[in-house]
């Protein structure tokens, strides 16, 4: 539920600007190539992906010596 304090602001909706009004001239739209950079994923935990990859390689190396026996099927 919308707080009564902000109800009028919500009901006004998103502001609409003409292509060449004062606001649009001072604040031009960002081009898509620059805007896409904002939403690029980033590595929040530096080195985490490398550590996971190293652990995966070590696990595969340890398991490669194990003889693989197919599981028995249930009747």
């Amino acid at each position: 539920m919308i707080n009564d304090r902000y109800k009028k602001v919500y009901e006004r909706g998103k502001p609409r600007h003409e292509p060449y009004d004062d606001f649009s001239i001072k604040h031009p739209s960002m081009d898509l190539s620059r805007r896409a950079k904002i939403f690029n994923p980033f590595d929040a935990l530096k080195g985490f992906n490398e550590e996971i990859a190293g652990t995966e390689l070590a696990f595969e190396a340890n398991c490669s010596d194990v003889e693989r026996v197919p599981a028995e099927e249930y009747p």
Side-chain angles (χ1 to χ4, degrees), residues 1-45:
M1 184 71 192
I2 298 171
N3 188 343
D4 289 336
R5 182 176 175 187
Y6 299 107
K7 188 173 183 178
K8 289 181 183 178
V9 174
Y10 176 76
E11 288 174 349
R12 276 191 280 176
K14 184 178 176 183
R16 307 239 183 243
H17 297 284
E18 297 299 321
Y20 299 107
D21 66 358
D22 289 337
F23 181 86
S24 296
I25 291 171
K26 291 179 183 177
H27 306 283
S29 297
M30 184 181 292
D31 62 310
L32 291 179
S33 63
R34 287 186 56 212
R35 184 172 170 78
K37 290 179 185 177
I38 295 172
F39 298 103
N40 276 345
F42 64 96
D43 193 4
L45 301 173

Side-chain angles (χ1 to χ4, degrees), residues 41-62:
F42 64 96
D43 193 4
L45 301 173
K46 293 185 186 220
F48 181 73
N49 291 332
E50 291 81 8
E51 187 67 30
I52 294 294
T55 303
E56 185 176 320
L57 290 174
F59 179 78
E60 289 176 356
N62 290 339

